[in-house]
């Protein structure tokens, strides 16, 4: 869950790290580390794909350097480390009245990808999963969760501070996302 939490927390950088195992949780000396950027609209699925491209390369390089005894270790400063708790299904619920548009956007993208549960809320007594979102520059306000209007295939939904654009949704249990404007009616409220 570190990638999910990094995106949910709005972080713009992550790391692929190979380290020794010790008594702690990911606290051993670092053998190799490579940073990668996390774009403001990148989803967890996209970042996982990025790390899956980085990791095999740095693993092979680390094994080669370890075998030739040229690897140098870096002691971790555990005072600066972050431990991310295991994600629970309830962590994916959007609370429109307490979350800003940016927080909702980060939650949606942090839980979007293959085999990920997706951020969810309720609509007309049905649990729905939100697939993609986008932050908008316009300051459009309304009651939190209200579908303000449709914009092409997407809808504009109010959060605590302002609105964001919701592009895709699906009913829980369905596998395919649909354009949000086909499913969510203007003037209705997500909760």
């Amino acid at each position: 869950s570190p990638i999910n939490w990094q995106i949910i927390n709005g972080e713009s950088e992550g790391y692929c790290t190979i380290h020794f195992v010790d008594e702690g949780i990911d606290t051993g000396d670092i053998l190799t580390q490579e940073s990668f950027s996390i774009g403001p609209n990148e989803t967890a699925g996209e970042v996982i794909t990025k790390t899956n491209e980085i990791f095999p390369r740095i693993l092979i390089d680390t094994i080669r350097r370890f075998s030739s005894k040229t690897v140098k270790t870096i002691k971790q400063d555990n005072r600066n480390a972050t431990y991310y708790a295991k994600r629970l299904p309830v962590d994916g619920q959007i609370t429109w009245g307490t979350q800003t548009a940016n927080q909702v956007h980060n939650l949606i993208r942090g839980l979007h990808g293959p085999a990920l549960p997706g951020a969810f809320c309720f609509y007309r007594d049905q649990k729905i999963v939100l697939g993609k979102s986008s932050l908008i520059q316009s300051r459009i306000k309304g009651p939190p969760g209200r579908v303000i209007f449709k914009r092409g295939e997407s809808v504009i939904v109010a959060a605590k501070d302002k609105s964001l654009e919701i592009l895709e949704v699906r009913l829980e249990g369905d596998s395919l996302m649909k354009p949000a404007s086909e499913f969510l009616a203007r003037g209705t409220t997500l909760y």
Side-chain angles (χ1 to χ4, degrees):
S1 45
I3 288 173
N4 306 109
W5 284 119
Q6 289 169 339
I7 294 171
I8 291 166
N9 291 333
E11 296 176 28
S12 59
E13 185 177 47
Y15 292 87
C16 284
T17 305
I18 297 173
H19 57 82
F20 282 113
V21 175
D22 63 8
E23 312 80 41
I25 299 173
D26 296 339
T27 56
D29 290 352
I30 295 171
L31 298 165
T32 304
Q33 187 173 68
E34 185 173 313
S35 67
F36 57 88
S37 63
I38 301 172
N41 292 310
E42 275 189 295
T43 66
E46 292 165 337
V47 173
I48 289 167
T49 297
K50 189 183 293 188
T51 62
N52 286 340
E53 292 168 0
I54 295 169
F55 188 74
R57 177 177 42 78
I58 67 172
L59 178 60
I60 290 168
D61 179 62
T62 303
I63 291 169
R64 284 184 182 142
R65 288 186 298 114
F66 194 80
S67 296
S68 65
K69 298 183 181 4
T70 59
V71 71
K72 293 180 180 159
T73 62
I74 301 168
K75 194 96 174 135
Q76 290 197 57
D77 182 355
N78 292 317
R79 295 172 297 173
N80 295 325
T82 302
Y83 174 80
Y84 290 100
K86 180 180 177 178
R87 289 203 31 42
L88 301 174
V90 71
D91 296 330
Q93 184 167 5
I94 297 167
T95 53
W96 298 96
T98 62
Q99 292 177 305
T100 66
N102 195 53
Q103 289 171 322
V104 172
H105 175 63
N106 287 344
L107 184 61
I108 292 168
R109 64 192 192 93
L111 298 178
H112 183 73
L116 294 174
F120 69 92
C121 61
F122 294 88
Y123 176 72
R124 295 183 172 162
D125 295 329
Q126 293 182 304
K127 186 176 180 179
I128 62 169
V129 176
L130 301 161
K132 286 193 179 177
S133 62
S134 177
L135 293 173
I136 57 175
Q137 297 302 314
S138 307
R139 289 181 49 89
I140 301 168
K141 294 187 167 204
R146 175 82 46 91
V147 178
I148 306 294
F149 58 85
K150 294 183 178 191
R151 180 188 279 176
E153 292 190 334
S154 62
V155 296
I156 304 300
V157 180
K160 175 185 169 184
D161 60 340
K162 60 181 186 170
S163 297
L164 72 155
E165 187 173 20
I166 304 298
L167 289 85
E168 298 176 340
V169 299
R170 67 175 169 80
L171 284 172
E172 181 184 40
D174 286 354
S175 59
L176 294 176
M177 289 284 176
K178 296 179 182 178
S181 64
E182 289 181 16
F183 193 77
L184 303 174
R186 180 179 183 210
T188 58
T189 301
L190 305 176
Y191 57 95

